[in-house]
Amino acid sequence: MSNSYGSVFRITTFGESHGAAVGVIVDGCPAGLEITTEEIQQALDRRRPGQSDITTPRKEEDKVTILSGMFEGKTTGTPIAMVVNNKDQHSHDYSHIAQAFRPSHADYTYTTKYGLRDYRGGGRSSARETVARVAAGALAAKLLQHHGITVQAYVSQVGPVKLRKPYHKLDLSQIDSNKVRCPDGKIAARMIGVVEEARDNLDTIGGVVSCVIKGVPAGLGEPVFDKLHAELGKAMLSINAVKGFEYGSGFEGVKLNGSQHNDQFYTDDEGNVRTRTNNSGGIQGGISNGQDIYFNVAFKPVATILQPQTTINDAGEEITLQGKGRHDPCVLPRAVPIVDAMAALVIADFLLRQRVNKL
Amino acid sequence: MSNSYGSVFRITTFGESHGAAVGVIVDGCPAGLEITTEEIQQALDRRRPGQSDITTPRKEEDKVTILSGMFEGKTTGTPIAMVVNNKDQHSHDYSHIAQAFRPSHADYTYTTKYGLRDYRGGGRSSARETVARVAAGALAAKLLQHHGITVQAYVSQVGPVKLRKPYHKLDLSQIDSNKVRCPDGKIAARMIGVVEEARDNLDTIGGVVSCVIKGVPAGLGEPVFDKLHAELGKAMLSINAVKGFEYGSGFEGVKLNGSQHNDQFYTDDEGNVRTRTNNSGGIQGGISNGQDIYFNVAFKPVATILQPQTTINDAGEEITLQGKGRHDPCVLPRAVPIVDAMAALVIADFLLRQRVNKL
Amino acid sequence: MSNSYGSVFRITTFGESHGAAVGVIVDGCPAGLEITTEEIQQALDRRRPGQSDITTPRKEEDKVTILSGMFEGKTTGTPIAMVVNNKDQHSHDYSHIAQAFRPSHADYTYTTKYGLRDYRGGGRSSARETVARVAAGALAAKLLQHHGITVQAYVSQVGPVKLRKPYHKLDLSQIDSNKVRCPDGKIAARMIGVVEEARDNLDTIGGVVSCVIKGVPAGLGEPVFDKLHAELGKAMLSINAVKGFEYGSGFEGVKLNGSQHNDQFYTDDEGNVRTRTNNSGGIQGGISNGQDIYFNVAFKPVATILQPQTTINDAGEEITLQGKGRHDPCVLPRAVPIVDAMAALVIADFLLRQRVNKL
Amino acid sequence: MSNSYGSVFRITTFGESHGAAVGVIVDGCPAGLEITTEEIQQALDRRRPGQSDITTPRKEEDKVTILSGMFEGKTTGTPIAMVVNNKDQHSHDYSHIAQAFRPSHADYTYTTKYGLRDYRGGGRSSARETVARVAAGALAAKLLQHHGITVQAYVSQVGPVKLRKPYHKLDLSQIDSNKVRCPDGKIAARMIGVVEEARDNLDTIGGVVSCVIKGVPAGLGEPVFDKLHAELGKAMLSINAVKGFEYGSGFEGVKLNGSQHNDQFYTDDEGNVRTRTNNSGGIQGGISNGQDIYFNVAFKPVATILQPQTTINDAGEEITLQGKGRHDPCVLPRAVPIVDAMAALVIADFLLRQRVNKL
């Protein structure tokens, strides 16, 4: 039940890290949307391993195939299935982790939950599952583009290095100008240093991805339980390694008085309703108010480290475990397209849900 | 569609602030649970307005009536409907807000979304809707009690005053020992001072509620989209005024290296699998690992202030608006039972969902 | 989970036959629909017990109260809760059925399913639950009326007496002209005779309700699992005592050749696409084609009879049981508004669902 | 939204008749179920085209590949994706139907619904979609086998030839002993004659599939909307060409009096609760009572006939159309495994849903 996300624009993902393939069915994409396989592929290429020396050096092409739901270059309203085959899924040696419960991994919890687990590369708990999300997100982003909505995520913190400028003082066209995906070149250089240091220490480091969504019309999001920010929060927290979510003024805003925090409405020269400040993060009462939506997502350091660690095996015996293979010292750069994808999926879903609220 | 929460233990709420009643249907509570109206009422009494001089002085009894689903003191497996009648719903004068878009309220967004709104006391966007959640949460808490699980929320920050001790160094039996619901008496006194200052300044102030859940067996939560913390996050972010959610090491944890952050497993003297640290917050891969679950929830300052504010009306004209009536200078003390309720609902749902995962 | 129906226009019902109240929450009704309590009440009055001498002589007013979701005579887009209080729920003597498993009732299956049951008047398994459906259906019918769609159910068979004329040869304005709700007066008289005979024999009798839906635009219904007729079928089969559903040519159509059964398309003088025959019952590939939708619903004879019957109690011992009280000898006349309600709910839901299928 | 079925054991299908592939994701199958690709394939082979001279002579192997969710021969609790590649999807000439609205097909309704359609072989509206259902159904059937439950569908009517014996007087092991899948050899021979006659006349013929489910424990099915028979009905009516569903006494039962129709309970020699008759079809109040479940499903004659027919094109102009290619003169023999699959899916889902109803 838990492998689906979305209410109208709804995705269902499948696949294990080292199984035959990972993929997704998108059900509920409106008919008539023009999109090409190349557009999906471009999104996947931003997530692909091996794209720089601060990500995992694994080389995987992650070529996507669309199996259904398209005809003559357009969506037909029927489910769109997309598959990415896994490479070399039989070539690995998992003897060191088959019985181990790796620290801060999902080995123990999956085994407890299901009574067994596919231990190859973390199985379903691997971040490889996000391939499917990025493919579906590219489709959602195309729908948003059709409605003039853009989603732009970027790295705003790596370890202690924090980008303090708010999003509206950044040149977001520069997000992909460096390998850490921080739009400020100077801060980016310092972030890269932090990642390289962690990598060289056989260690890993956490960080924060920030995201801005522009062009969302007022009225999106549902009151009460499916508030726009509640769904954004769930979507972000469903990404591997995420530990926190805040939008608008967030955790800092709790220190303010109401008189400082409130966003006053005014009518601009073109007759549009706007707010003078945007502590609300573009959302009031769970519903978009037409201002920019922005939020932060906290990622913990990657759990797989190349140092020896003490843990236990499935017999409860203490063992020493050392990560091997090619892992990311920091997920942040590759997390950016995943945050983009999940945000696009949330907005696409609410865009369609909003169509039924008036007579 | 958005007025329901939960997958198996599922609630649907209804009611406007100044309509006839607010209430809830709980569908999916297992048969055979013993519970009394008094137990539901006790939970509501913790949320009730007028309980202290730092909350709204409105006097509302909020008496709950159970309409269905109980027989001879036990749940029957059929839907449990609970209703709380609103008092004096016709006695108010709303002329000052009927056409106004109050700053940082949902007046503008509801009007845009639906084309009209019930402006009486905020209508459906009022926090009065949480009466229904607390009633349902009391039922969920009773189910958890049957399984040895406890949920304990408390106020850990008000404005700049922050309780820095972690939950395991606090005496959680003292949560209700003071009117701000902070289990540390000294910090509580300072928090109360901050609330009083805001109140006396005709202003409001934000804060943080922390929550600990003990006794959750390993294996709860669903991988991928419905991760335990993703649902907790959504549930918390669906509460009025919430701006952020973090669990375990949260936003602070992003500064750590993996070697610092990882929680090593060990087997305790009784043969239980445990972790030496708990940066994971009791959840790994979206699934409970048997350790304590803990998280923080950020609340913005209440938007209704008793000072004049500039805003616009529904014709787009600038107006000056001044809050009147009896409002909370700080929602935190009354937010505690709401956080308790939503957390209990999330865990109860996953407790039942877990029953279908093994052969 | 099973007390909700519908995807966008979604109802959740509650209440036991002899509990405090029965009721419904309608979530997803678009904002701006004008409706009065009187319109809901009119639908309930068609279902009310005691309306003629061929239905149960119980006198129940079934007065509906709307608790939420309305403002100044219009729906607001928030959940609409409606409640009907039960009368005299404590005045009955159930000692004769408290331990008995009545033949062809749900006593045994509820007890097995839940481990206990509310035996008062059948509890949740009583057809009294349909009060909630009829109230919600009246709201759906008002939405359909706004779109020019009408739903008209009528009794087409009672026991062996069958109305053989197809719906388009009947004067459907005559449905309520007699107490059995068959629009053909002569057949109605014969049906009434059959019901009276059953009643006088302390027995009951089954029958068929037919239903016609006019004005449905082409394009409603979803392909694959949620076909328009599949949802109509589920909705009808969810009504107490229903044993079968067929639409269009139905079971009789299986004897035909494709060349006889196929409905040829043509363009009428006004340029509308039409079919020369309508064996499809207005639905092709699960989607409405703009022609009239029609279907039949089979109701078994009421299980409660006033004759002695042999059965067992919950200890497995053979007992003799005799129905007492005031029961319907034939549910058909009162089933008509229930079929109307469920059909309206299905169409209203698809009307809203269709809004998301195109770009 | 409409390409998923089931609540806990949930399938989502994809694929067009002449697209790259058809397939399914099964989400919610419990972990630990042993199953092989061969077992899935066997079910598909019963549905495969070209299996006899009374089905379509198209030769398609329909080889299934499992992409995920299995490890070391067992399900892991994660989604199971299965794909069947389509053969030769580019080799056909569709010029004769690209603009035509074929009578009693879904060409017109899909075009109206979505604004465009994949006309190749009927696209998504083709019965080829049921490949996915049969693959998923084989998995469900394996789960049922683990619980001692069997599902057996067979052809009980073709055109006017009807098998009048009830299921308990048939030798159900003989279902696959002839090419029409009727367990009575004599009747089967007459049915085959009817199909051959239709085929030789370039025509098609309808029929009825009956189905028996044995071994279902009492307590399955949910009251109110998701009654066991309501879900069975929906599942059956969602199969292409189905026009009606009845269970137990069905449409015939409406002629009976309650005293004739009621099923008396008794305790058998082994202490089991049983009923002396089974007009209830094993279901009372929407919940299984432990007796055999049985039902009938009406299939209309196949719409594609090899005779010329008058219809219109998408410009509304009258055209003459003649089916070509290799089509089934009668879907009944190949419908049997589809009915089996859908019935297994319904029961598997309720088997899991029942786990949450008691404390």
Side-chain angles (χ1 to χ4, degrees), chain C residues 4 12 18 22 36 41 57 60 148-149 152 166 171 175 201 206 209 216 242 248 254 266 269 273 278 287 306 328 346:
Chain C
S4 297
T12 303
H18 290 63
V22 292
T36 63
Q41 189 62 51
E60 291 167 17
I149 301 168
Q152 288 168 291
D171 179 358
I175 292 172
N201 291 338
V209 171
V216 176
V242 172
V254 308
Y266 73 100
D269 294 345
V273 172
N278 188 12
I287 302 166
L306 303 182
D328 287 275
V346 170

Side-chain angles (χ1 to χ4, degrees), chain C residues 313-331:
Chain C
N313 62 20
D314 56 15
E317 301 158 341
E318 192 171 296
I319 57 171
T320 297
L321 194 72
Q322 183 159 353
K324 49 184 182 175
R326 297 155 298 173
H327 296 278
D328 287 275
C330 178
V331 294

Side-chain angles (χ1 to χ4, degrees), chain A residues 146-213:
Chain A
H146 180 82
H147 289 88
I149 301 168
T150 58
V151 176
Q152 287 168 292
Y154 57 92
V155 174
S156 61
Q157 185 171 355
V158 172
V161 179
K162 189 167 181 173
L163 175 63
R164 296 195 181 273
K165 281 185 200 161
Y167 75 88
H168 48 80
K169 294 194 177 168
L170 297 169
D171 179 358
L172 298 181
S173 72
Q174 298 304 304
I175 293 171
D176 279 347
S177 69
N178 58 65
K179 58 192 177 187
V180 80
R181 293 204 167 97
C182 170
D184 180 308
K186 285 188 186 170
I187 303 285
R190 291 174 50 203
M191 288 173 171
I192 291 168
V194 170
V195 178
E196 288 172 341
E197 187 188 355
R199 183 194 61 196
D200 296 347
N201 291 339
L202 307 181
D203 215 329
T204 59
I205 187 72
V208 174
V209 171
S210 296
C211 185
V212 191
I213 313 176

Side-chain angles (χ1 to χ4, degrees), chain A residues 85-349:
Chain A
N85 288 324
N86 292 331
K87 289 283 163 73
D88 308 325
Q89 67 260 31
H90 301 301
S91 63
H92 298 270
D93 174 15
Y94 298 104
S95 56
H96 65 303
I97 58 164
Q99 270 76 46
F101 294 149
R102 290 171 294 164
S104 290
H105 270 279
D107 302 333
Y108 171 64
T109 53
Y110 266 68
T111 302
T112 308
K113 184 173 192 67
Y114 296 111
L116 53 87
R117 79 174 195 273
D118 178 348
Y119 50 72
R120 299 168 302 166
R124 182 75 178 147
S125 74
S126 165
R128 186 151 181 80
E129 182 270 339
T130 58
V131 165
R133 302 183 185 207
V134 171
L139 199 62
K142 192 69 193 279
L143 181 63
L144 297 191
Q145 182 187 318
H146 180 82
H147 289 88
I149 301 168
T150 58
V151 176
Q152 287 168 292
Y154 57 92
V155 174
S156 61
Q157 185 171 355
V158 172
V161 179
K162 189 167 181 173
L163 175 63
R164 296 195 181 273
K165 281 185 200 161
Y167 75 88
H168 48 80
K169 294 194 177 168
L170 297 169
D171 179 358
L172 298 181
S173 72
Q174 298 304 304
I175 293 171
D176 279 347
S177 69
N178 58 65
K179 58 192 177 187
V180 80
R181 293 204 167 97
C182 170
D184 180 308
K186 285 188 186 170
I187 303 285
R190 291 174 50 203
M191 288 173 171
I192 291 168
V194 170
V195 178
E196 288 172 341
E197 187 188 355
R199 183 194 61 196
D200 296 347
N201 291 339
L202 307 181
D203 215 329
T204 59
I205 187 72
V208 174
V209 171
S210 296
C211 185
V212 191
I213 313 176
K214 297 185 178 184
V216 175
L220 263 55
E222 299 289 324
V224 190
F225 297 109
D226 298 354
K227 289 183 163 82
L228 179 40
H229 56 268
E231 283 296 340
L232 280 172
K234 176 179 172 178
M236 297 306 143
L237 288 157
S238 78
I239 300 172
N240 300 43
V242 171
K243 303 289 287 192
F245 170 86
E246 62 180 359
Y247 80 103
S249 60
F251 275 91
E252 279 302 304
V254 308
K255 298 174 191 162
L256 299 180
N257 288 121
S259 58
Q260 300 166 302
H261 192 276
N262 282 354
D263 296 321
Q264 295 191 359
F265 286 106
Y266 72 101
T267 308
D268 73 9
D269 294 344
E270 287 155 14
N272 300 310
V273 173
R274 307 207 47 172
T275 61
R276 294 196 188 276
T277 49
N278 188 12
N279 287 312
S280 299
I283 304 172
Q284 289 168 332
I287 302 167
S288 63
N289 68 357
Q291 308 306 297
D292 295 341
I293 294 169
Y294 64 98
F295 58 84
N296 298 319
V297 187
F299 287 81
K300 69 168 187 176
V302 174
T304 300
I305 57 176
L306 302 183
Q307 305 173 24
Q309 295 180 93
T310 302
T311 190
I312 59 172
N313 63 18
D314 56 15
E317 302 158 343
E318 192 172 297
I319 58 171
T320 297
L321 193 73
Q322 182 158 355
K324 48 184 183 176
R326 296 156 297 174
H327 297 280
D328 288 275
C330 178
V331 294
L332 275 291
R334 293 177 57 211
V336 164
I338 304 169
V339 168
D340 277 336
M342 292 308 298
L345 287 164
V346 169
I347 304 298
D349 194 34

Side-chain angles (χ1 to χ4, degrees), chain A residues 1-5 7 11 13 101-106 108-110 112-115 124 129 133 157 159-160 198 203-208 218-227 229-231 233-234 237-240 242-251 253-259 261-267 273 276 279-281 284-285 287-289 296-303 305 307 309-312 316-318 342 353-354 356-358, chain B residues 1-5 7 11 13 101-106 108-110 112-115 124 129 133 157 159-160 198 203-208 218-227 229-231 233-234 237-240 242-251 253-259 261-267 273 276 279-281 284-285 287-289 296-303 305 307 309-312 316-318 342 353-354 356-358:
Chain A
M1 295 194 281
S2 79
N3 296 282
S4 297
Y5 187 77
S7 173
I11 69 170
T13 72
F101 294 149
R102 290 171 294 164
S104 290
H105 270 279
Y108 171 64
T109 53
Y110 266 68
T112 308
K113 184 173 192 67
Y114 296 111
R124 182 75 178 147
E129 182 270 339
R133 302 183 185 207
Q157 185 171 355
D203 215 329
T204 59
I205 187 72
V208 174
L220 263 55
E222 299 289 324
V224 190
F225 297 109
D226 298 354
K227 289 183 163 82
H229 56 268
E231 283 296 340
K234 176 179 172 178
L237 288 157
S238 78
I239 300 172
N240 300 43
V242 171
K243 303 289 287 192
F245 170 86
E246 62 180 359
Y247 80 103
S249 60
F251 275 91
V254 308
K255 298 174 191 162
L256 299 180
N257 288 121
S259 58
H261 192 276
N262 282 354
D263 296 321
Q264 295 191 359
F265 286 106
Y266 72 101
T267 308
V273 173
R276 294 196 188 276
N279 287 312
S280 299
Q284 289 168 332
I287 302 167
S288 63
N289 68 357
N296 298 319
V297 187
F299 287 81
K300 69 168 187 176
V302 174
I305 57 176
Q307 305 173 24
Q309 295 180 93
T310 302
T311 190
I312 59 172
E317 302 158 343
E318 192 172 297
M342 292 308 298
R353 289 178 75 174
Q354 174 55 8
V356 300
N357 282 303
K358 291 182 191 170
Chain B
M1 295 194 280
S2 78
N3 297 282
S4 296
Y5 187 77
S7 175
I11 69 170
T13 72
F101 294 149
R102 290 170 296 163
S104 290
H105 271 278
Y108 171 64
T109 54
Y110 266 68
T112 308
K113 183 171 193 69
Y114 296 111
R124 183 75 179 146
E129 181 271 338
R133 302 183 185 207
Q157 185 170 354
D203 215 331
T204 59
I205 187 73
V208 174
L220 262 55
E222 300 289 324
V224 190
F225 298 108
D226 297 355
K227 289 183 163 82
H229 57 268
E231 283 297 339
K234 176 178 172 178
L237 288 156
S238 79
I239 300 172
N240 299 46
V242 172
K243 303 289 287 192
F245 169 86
E246 60 179 1
Y247 80 104
S249 61
F251 275 90
V254 308
K255 299 174 190 163
L256 299 180
N257 288 121
S259 58
H261 192 275
N262 282 354
D263 296 322
Q264 296 190 358
F265 286 106
Y266 72 101
T267 308
V273 173
R276 293 195 189 278
N279 287 313
S280 299
Q284 289 167 332
I287 301 167
S288 62
N289 68 357
N296 298 319
V297 187
F299 287 81
K300 70 168 187 175
V302 174
I305 56 176
Q307 305 172 25
Q309 295 180 92
T310 303
T311 190
I312 59 173
E317 302 157 342
E318 191 172 297
M342 292 309 298
R353 290 178 74 174
Q354 173 57 6
V356 300
N357 282 304
K358 292 182 191 172

Side-chain angles (χ1 to χ4, degrees), chain C residues 113 203 234 259 267 316 354, chain D residues 113 203 231 259 267 316 354:
Chain C
K113 184 173 194 66
D203 215 329
K234 177 178 172 179
S259 59
T267 309
Q354 173 57 7
Chain D
K113 183 172 194 66
D203 215 330
E231 283 296 339
S259 58
T267 308
Q354 173 56 6

